Amino acid sequence: MFGEKDDVGLTDDERSELEARAQTKVVMVPGAGHMTLTSHPTLVAEILLEALASVH
């Protein structure tokens, strides 16, 4: 999970590697910066709950 406006990002190679893995999903949070957890806590919680629910 990355904030759309985060200064710490992924290289194209890193993103490609993550997206190539079936068990990994890269999520960009619109309007968020580096502290996505504190700026968008409800959205982060929803994304985490969705991810946990998909684990078998």
Side-chain angles (χ1 to χ4, degrees), residues 17-48:
E17 183 70 27
L18 288 170
E19 290 176 342
R21 299 179 184 277
Q23 72 275 21
T24 303
K25 179 179 178 183
V26 177
V27 178
M28 295 300 290
V29 179
H34 185 66
M35 297 301 292
T36 304
L37 179 60
T38 57
S39 64
H40 295 76
T42 303
L43 181 57
V44 170
E46 290 170 359
I47 292 167
L48 290 173

Side-chain angles (χ1 to χ4, degrees), residues 2-23:
F2 292 90
E4 176 184 49
K5 297 178 180 181
D6 195 339
D7 292 338
V8 179
L10 295 171
T11 65
D12 291 339
D13 289 341
E14 290 168 331
R15 180 180 299 281
S16 294
E17 183 70 27
L18 288 170
E19 290 176 342
R21 299 179 184 277
Q23 72 275 21

